[in-house]
Amino acid sequence: MSAETDTTPFTETDERRSLRREVAKLASGYGREYFVRQARNGEKTTDLWLDMGTHGYLGVALPEEYGGGGGGIGDLAAVCEELAAQGCPLLMMVVSPAICGTVISRFGTEEQKTRWLPSIADGTLTMAFAITEPDAGSNSHDITTTARRDGDGWVLRGRKIYISGVDEAGAVLVVARTEDARTGRLRPALFVVPTDAEGLEYQPIDMEIVSPERQFTLFVDDVRLPADALVGDENAGIAQLFAGLNPERIMAAAFATGIGRFALDKATEYVKGREVFGAPIGAHQGVAHPLAQSKIEIELARLMTQKAAALYDAGDDTGAGEAANMAKYAAGEAACAAADRAVQVHGGNGITTEYGMAGLLVAARATRIAPVSREMILNFVGSHSLGLPKSY
Ligand SMILES: Cc1cc2nc3c(=O)[nH]c(=O)nc-3n(C[C@H](O)[C@H](O)[C@H](O)COP(=O)(O)OP(=O)(O)OC[C@H]3O[C@@H](n4cnc5c(N)ncnc54)[C@H](O)[C@@H]3O)c2cc1C
């Protein structure tokens, strides 16, 4: 083999590495203390969000002609991971620039792109995303929120649950179903609904996650929308939806990996300093090995996330779909294990508010459930990758 073996699939470009360093620097200026303080005081992270927008990090993957950086989802995932690794995991990164930004830039009209993308890129507007419904749950084929034609426009009616960041959002990209005039069958389609639209109401859900970003129940009660609220083609809703779901999974994997890194950094720092039995506890293999395991699991999850992002950015939606699901699974598992081990090595301190480790458990746990649960990923891999009978 030649000495010039190509390592590009396994290393990031200088540009990507520099992006990571810059984001980490900016985020460390805010840090975990800021994030937790805002959450506990019922306040938001708007200043961090706008700072990210001003520096071009939120819009890094959006097209340049609409105020973005013209990069790929791999760049945006790197931004999301570095933020989380500094203790500031921002869920709206997954939703606003990644899902909503992708769907609008790929399928929106010129007018919709001009209207929404520049403000998503600079952070002056965040867009929430609403697909989950109380009765349908993981089975999104069963959603019942409907969009009925009303003259030139639409009337939406239904209910959504666990929708992140509605209180901070200027609009919500809502997945509803339209009726096929010929067959009467319902098909999913995507609508931008301004959060101040008449008939749209939302209520916060009390969650145990320590985060300034909250989840909401959304009541969509005969909300009237103009014709141009529909994004893309009414007949191609499923394909458009899937186009947004790959970036969602890649970003969720990056989000989880960042949480895992943060937990592992804190744990490592602690075991180097805490002395029991006359030596730092990190000298005991019973303490060091679980942390080493986490290091390996996190690196593997990062690698798979980078592969998924590279496939997506190369236009391979199918390959990216499988890799993004696997990355999300691996990252969720790695984050949960890292958070659990970080609590354990802190001993009693692991459960104190001062050390803030226990709060990570729920945040990490959420990455196993949302945006797609580990079981639904295993279902997908079982049927899609292994060719087993589809059970769902
Ligand atoms: C913090 C957080 C933020 C969120 N933000 C958003 C958002 O912004 N927008 C949005 O639309 N949604 C959001 N969600 C919702 C999230 O996508 C759903 O919670 C998730 O898809 C699971 O759906 P569910 O909660 O209804 O669980 P259910 O579908 O009721 O599932 C419950 C359990 O049963 C398992 N299960 C269900 N069916 C099967 C099966 N066939 N085989 C094996 N196991 C199965 C699931 O894996 C899960 O463990 C968020 C959720 C959380 C926790």
Side-chain angles (χ1 to χ4, degrees):
M1 190 170 284
S2 92
E4 290 182 24
T5 304
D6 184 7
T7 59
T8 21
F10 306 106
T11 53
E12 289 186 313
T13 59
D14 288 345
E15 203 180 350
R16 174 82 57 79
R17 280 189 287 210
S18 144
L19 174 68
R20 284 185 183 276
R21 276 194 302 275
E22 286 166 20
V23 174
K25 191 167 166 221
L26 184 147
S28 68
Y30 290 84
R32 186 69 184 168
E33 254 180 56
Y34 158 83
F35 188 85
V36 171
R37 189 175 59 243
Q38 298 302 92
R40 299 232 189 265
N41 293 341
E43 287 172 15
K44 299 295 166 193
T45 41
T46 316
D47 35 6
L48 169 58
W49 188 261
L50 289 174
D51 214 356
M52 297 279 295
T54 308
H55 282 83
Y57 303 145
L58 295 178
V60 73
L62 293 174
E64 280 174 296
E65 60 268 43
Y66 303 105
I73 200 70
D75 297 310
L76 192 62
V79 172
C80 183
E81 185 192 323
E82 295 307 322
L83 267 174
Q86 294 299 324
C88 301
L90 291 180
L91 211 44
M92 292 314 282
M93 286 281 312
V94 179
V95 177
S96 187
I99 308 177
C100 303
T102 298
V103 168
I104 294 173
S105 48
R106 279 184 67 169
F107 305 106
T109 60
E110 189 53 41
E111 220 180 321
Q112 287 168 334
K113 291 185 207 178
T114 311
R115 179 168 175 200
W116 301 112
L117 295 182
S119 48
I120 289 178
D122 71 15
T124 49
L125 174 126
T126 48
M127 196 177 282
F129 175 69
I131 182 166
T132 309
E133 295 188 3
D135 294 333
S138 300
N139 187 1
S140 36
H141 294 287
D142 265 4
I143 62 167
T144 55
T145 296
T146 43
R148 183 165 53 75
R149 279 219 177 263
D150 177 42
D152 275 354
W154 300 91
V155 176
L156 261 61
R157 189 175 181 77
R159 189 145 72 97
K160 300 285 180 183
I161 196 164
Y162 300 123
I163 310 308
S164 297
V166 184
D167 56 340
E168 300 177 72
V172 189
L173 187 64
V174 174
V175 185
R177 309 180 75 183
T178 58
E179 196 174 64
D180 186 318
R182 223 165 18 88
T183 64
R185 284 179 55 197
L186 292 171
R187 296 168 313 191
L190 296 146
F191 296 86
V192 180
V193 182
T195 38
D196 60 2
E198 200 174 324
L200 186 79
E201 285 184 17
Y202 47 93
Q203 276 175 4
I205 304 169
D206 286 331
M207 307 284 278
E208 295 286 337
I209 306 175
V210 183
S211 172
E213 298 174 319
R214 304 196 64 186
Q215 281 66 46
F216 295 82
T217 305
L218 207 60
F219 303 91
V220 188
D221 192 9
D222 286 339
V223 173
R224 278 170 203 283
L225 297 170
D228 71 355
L230 173 72
V231 179
D233 186 345
E234 183 186 340
N235 299 314
I238 290 236
Q240 292 164 16
L241 196 52
F242 282 117
L245 294 187
N246 280 340
E248 175 191 59
R249 278 156 209 193
I250 293 166
M251 292 294 286
F255 179 91
T257 305
I259 291 178
R261 279 176 55 196
F262 177 77
L264 183 59
D265 283 351
K266 288 285 169 200
T268 309
E269 190 188 316
Y270 188 79
V271 304
K272 283 178 183 165
R274 170 76 174 155
E275 289 204 13
V276 179
F277 295 103
I281 55 173
H284 306 301
Q285 288 182 342
V287 172
H289 281 186
L291 301 186
Q293 255 177 295
S294 273
K295 175 69 182 162
I296 294 168
E297 289 160 7
I298 289 168
E299 283 303 316
L300 292 175
R302 289 183 85 199
L303 197 54
M304 198 59 179
T305 308
Q306 285 165 7
K307 174 178 174 179
L311 289 171
Y312 180 83
D313 288 331
D316 179 358
D317 279 345
T318 310
E322 186 187 52
N325 272 296
M326 290 179 173
K328 156 67 179 63
Y329 176 91
E333 299 304 303
C336 284
D340 190 57
R341 289 164 184 160
V343 170
Q344 190 66 17
V345 300
H346 275 78
N349 284 340
I351 319 179
T352 59
T353 304
E354 182 189 347
Y355 282 83
M357 289 295 101
L360 287 177
L361 288 174
V362 189
R365 206 64 191 67
T367 70
R368 256 185 180 165
I369 296 166
V372 55
S373 71
R374 64 189 291 282
E375 292 76 23
M376 292 311 293
I377 294 177
L378 293 172
N379 283 339
F380 171 84
V381 171
S383 61
H384 176 87
S385 311
L386 301 180
L388 299 174
K390 193 172 172 188
S391 64
Y392 59 102

